[in-house]
Amino acid sequence: MKSRQEKIEALGRVIDTLDILRVKCPWDAKQTNESLRPNTIEEVYELCDALIASDDVNIRKELGDVLLHVLFYAKIGEEKGAFDIADVADALNDKLIFRHPHVFGETKVDSTDEVLQNWEQLKLKEKGGNRSVLAGVPKALPAMIKADRIQEKAANVGFDWTSREQVWDKVKEEVDEFAQAVSSGSASDMEEEMGDVLFSIINAARLYHINPENALEKTNRKFISRFNHIERRAAETGTQLKDMTLEQMDALWNEAKSIEKNHPQS
């Protein structure tokens, strides 16, 4: 591993390289916050793919791409005279110290739950900070991640079940209400009640310390793998999927499950 000085020098070289590119490269020179934003989103998702795969080589690569975007936005801020990368780092450092009084101050905590509760309270006290507990949840977050963050923030200020087992009564209640909406035939009611079902399931995931986004992504990948198996096996016999019965496809699905069980790393 590199020394502290080597890390600082490496970051300095990247900043210097970006300064040159901003002047001498036609593409880099014309970039703006607006033009970079879609690419930033893509880079973060690519990092997420590497993280899910526990692929250290690609994690390092994708972290570099995300870092480039952080430095790029700071460079644009510098050109506008608004802020530079030092201002970004200083603000981050100040925030970390302020939000960790149990490390840098006299506050005592006994659990990670207390740390999170203090974190939310401190955010409300920050100068220029959020005036509402939920104000800090980005509007553009995907709905599942947003629901998880909303519930987590509400719980951190005490709005939560006294026992996590209580959430299953709520899940059942929402499923029953969705069934009633289906019976009524109202599309808008069904959509609303399905949203409530999903929200309650995400809440259950939070209470059982399961990241719902990660859990669903693993299931997505599992489904893709098993469905790809069905396609491959059908192709081996020269059969089109549309010509197969559900029973035939289900048999191949179970075959894929068996392969996963016997070869979990394949």
Side-chain angles (χ1 to χ4, degrees), residues 116-171:
L116 291 174
Q117 290 168 7
N118 287 341
W119 182 278
E120 294 298 340
Q121 293 298 326
L122 289 165
K123 285 176 69 174
L124 295 175
K125 295 178 181 178
E126 283 178 341
K127 182 179 179 180
N130 301 318
R131 297 182 179 275
S132 167
V133 171
L134 301 182
V137 179
K139 295 179 180 179
L141 276 180
M144 177 175 289
I145 299 175
K146 185 189 294 186
D148 189 44
R149 293 294 291 132
I150 288 170
Q151 294 165 0
E152 181 182 53
K153 284 179 173 291
N156 285 339
V157 294
F159 190 70
D160 202 4
W161 306 104
T162 55
S163 170
R164 67 183 183 179
E165 288 76 17
Q166 293 173 305
V167 74
W168 298 114
D169 289 333
K170 186 62 176 177
V171 171

Side-chain angles (χ1 to χ4, degrees), residues 10 186 194 196 220:
S186 168
M194 177 55 74
D196 291 346
N220 288 340

Side-chain angles (χ1 to χ4, degrees), residues 30-40 73 76 80:
K30 73 175 185 179
Q31 296 310 305
T32 64
N33 287 339
E34 292 74 20
S35 67
L36 284 172
R37 188 178 68 85
N39 292 337
T40 304
Y73 290 121
I76 294 171
K80 293 163 57 180

